[in-house]
Amino acid sequence: MFNVYEFFNKISSLNPRIRLDAGQPDIKVDERIIEDAVSSLKRGETGYTKTPGLDELREKIAEVEGVEKENIIIGNGSKILIASQILRAKRIGILSPHWQAYESAAKVFGKEVKIFKTSLEEGWEPRIESLNVDLLILNYPNNPTGKILPREKLKEILEIAEDENVKVLSDEIYSDITFKPFTPARELYDNVVTIKGFSKLFSMTGFRLGYAIAQREDIKAMQKFLEITTTCAPIFIQRAGVKALEIKEEVKKRVVRIYEGRVRLASRILKGFEFYKPDGTFYLFVKTGVDGLSFAEKLLEKSVSVFPGIAFGDYRDFIRISLVSLRLEEGLEIIKEVKLCTSE
Ligand code: PLP
């Protein structure tokens, strides 16, 4: 399996001028969020919290999400909560293209993986007749395609999950960066563990803060896992999370507008490339017509970094462009030039 983390390290050591590779937003974390973390530290909040998380944060999430506090658990980033669910399952279904960490975690934990491929030609919509897994991972808005599944299509898949008694892990970490209506899976099916986080909308990647919404027995299982691993998210980081949610609507308006503008810009400059115009996220999964890894390496020579499609499954002639740089326009022009050279 192509190791995207190694490729990321290679990019980082080359230090290219225009970075369009990782899912690291360039928009600054709001000052008010940082101030609350700092003032929490200065007040001496340096100890443990309860493993499920700070009451104030869980209450705020409950209010924002319209769920009960008891159905929420805080994680040190969302990834560890995802991993804890993969660890509990035997056979994991993943819709592809997909974020590599799902498949890597499943393999490291010795699980069976069943990949359901989708294609650009079919608008990245899955065609599923039966699942035959015990955990199905959904990720909409999707990394890397930016696709949001229409409600009816989502319902169809969740009905199959219900018939086969399959638990669904719905990774909705991009659900606040949307340009079209989005239906959370838990609105349509009960047996869902929803994963959310602060890394994308609020650019708080290094804070390592995420949460899950789930039925109590799933919350308990995640709690057990955190008890033996991270114990809790740092209290001052959780305070920052409370502030982030307080100003969420304001941040969302600003951030969505920025990414929507960048999608428009990219769509204009990359006319002639084939890709699905994203319904959400800040990614573009673009068909190169040639080997995506060679394409990414050619771009690196020109000091522009992207990830090759093989970082997201069996998509050799794609690259993923992350729209997270102030030098985006210049980067896109270089991508266009490289495409012209490779197709000559
Ligand atoms: N899920 C998806 C689909 C992602 O793309 C990412 C980060 O890139 C994560 C989860 C991880 O987020 P966190 O920083 O909360 O661990």
Side-chain angles (χ1 to χ4, degrees):
M1 192 162 98
F2 176 82
N3 187 330
V4 70
Y5 297 97
E6 269 173 22
F7 194 71
F8 174 78
N9 292 341
K10 175 178 162 181
I11 292 171
S12 301
S13 58
L14 290 171
N15 194 22
R17 225 168 60 72
I18 307 176
R19 292 205 61 164
L20 309 175
D21 54 283
Q24 169 62 63
D26 61 314
I27 298 170
K28 283 206 162 41
V29 175
D30 192 288
E31 249 334 288
R32 291 164 289 181
I33 297 174
I34 293 171
E35 269 163 22
D36 272 27
V38 171
S39 68
S40 161
L41 266 175
K42 287 196 169 155
R43 279 199 306 278
E45 290 189 327
T46 55
Y48 298 123
T49 69
K50 287 188 276 191
T51 304
L54 202 63
D55 284 334
E56 289 90 327
L57 180 55
R58 291 170 72 216
E59 277 157 17
K60 190 70 201 166
I61 294 170
E63 179 195 318
V64 170
E65 300 283 357
V67 298
E68 299 292 319
K69 176 181 151 198
E70 287 66 31
N71 296 104
I72 295 161
I73 187 160
I74 310 298
N76 311 58
S78 65
K79 200 189 239 174
I80 191 138
L81 299 169
I82 296 169
S84 79
Q85 284 301 309
I86 292 175
L87 185 62
R88 290 177 76 206
K90 284 201 180 79
R91 192 149 197 246
I92 292 123
I94 301 174
L95 305 192
S96 200
H98 58 281
W99 186 50
Q100 193 175 85
Y102 306 135
E103 192 178 350
S104 301
K107 288 193 170 150
V108 168
F109 296 153
K111 310 293 179 179
E112 253 183 85
V113 175
K114 186 170 176 188
I115 299 282
F116 296 88
K117 259 195 98 169
T118 64
S119 69
L120 171 62
E121 291 68 30
E122 295 190 327
W124 300 119
E125 292 202 6
R127 262 203 266 168
I128 295 176
E129 269 151 33
S130 70
L131 288 165
N132 193 19
V133 294
D134 57 350
L135 179 72
L136 175 70
I137 301 181
L138 298 181
N139 169 224
Y140 297 105
N142 178 261
N143 172 11
T145 62
K147 171 85 179 174
I148 292 178
L149 219 52
R151 188 182 171 93
E152 279 315 302
K153 189 76 199 177
L154 178 67
K155 198 164 161 218
E156 236 175 67
I157 295 173
L158 295 174
E159 277 167 3
I160 300 172
E162 185 161 22
D163 285 349
E164 296 185 26
N165 196 21
V166 171
K167 177 175 298 185
V168 168
L169 184 139
S170 185
D171 180 350
E172 298 177 5
I173 193 154
Y174 296 98
S175 63
D176 287 309
I177 306 176
T178 54
F179 322 127
K180 268 193 183 168
F182 168 74
T183 306
R186 69 177 189 282
E187 267 185 25
L188 302 172
Y189 182 39
D190 287 335
N191 196 4
V192 172
V193 174
T194 303
I195 300 290
K196 305 219 45 178
F198 293 78
S199 290
K200 306 302 174 180
L201 176 67
F202 299 105
S203 309
M204 290 165 66
T205 48
F207 284 63
R208 310 306 306 128
L209 192 64
Y211 59 92
I213 304 166
Q215 293 176 356
R216 299 217 185 157
E217 59 167 84
D218 291 315
I219 295 288
K220 271 200 196 129
M222 285 185 265
Q223 183 173 333
K224 269 238 138 51
F225 186 75
L226 297 186
E227 280 165 4
I228 59 158
T229 52
T230 62
T231 307
C232 64
I235 183 165
F236 48 95
I237 296 297
Q238 298 194 55
R239 293 277 183 222
V242 174
K243 176 53 80 182
L245 293 178
E246 278 170 16
I247 60 172
K248 180 176 165 182
E249 286 313 310
E250 180 195 326
V251 172
K252 192 169 156 174
K253 235 188 231 159
R254 188 168 60 85
V255 168
V256 169
R257 201 180 307 131
I258 292 173
Y259 289 132
E260 219 174 355
R262 290 181 183 180
V263 166
R264 254 198 313 274
L265 174 78
S267 305
R268 181 164 57 73
I269 296 179
L270 299 183
K271 227 183 251 158
F273 280 83
E274 281 177 66
F275 60 91
Y276 180 88
K277 192 157 177 239
D279 307 320
T281 76
F282 42 72
Y283 302 118
L284 235 57
F285 201 50
V286 174
K287 198 165 183 170
T288 51
V290 295
D291 180 68
L293 181 57
S294 314
F295 196 96
E297 277 167 349
K298 277 215 176 74
L299 282 174
L300 258 183
E301 285 166 18
K302 297 188 180 291
S303 220
V304 178
S305 55
V306 298
F307 281 160
I310 45 167
F312 305 91
D314 186 16
Y315 294 90
R316 298 210 157 260
D317 55 346
F318 282 82
I319 53 169
R320 189 196 73 177
I321 306 171
S322 194
L323 309 174
V324 291
S325 168
L326 287 177
R327 296 183 176 134
L328 178 65
E329 186 162 357
E330 193 188 339
L332 293 167
E333 292 291 355
I334 295 171
I335 292 172
K336 197 163 90 178
E337 262 171 42
V338 168
K339 159 97 167 152
L340 285 175
C341 293
T342 53
S343 53
E344 266 164 12

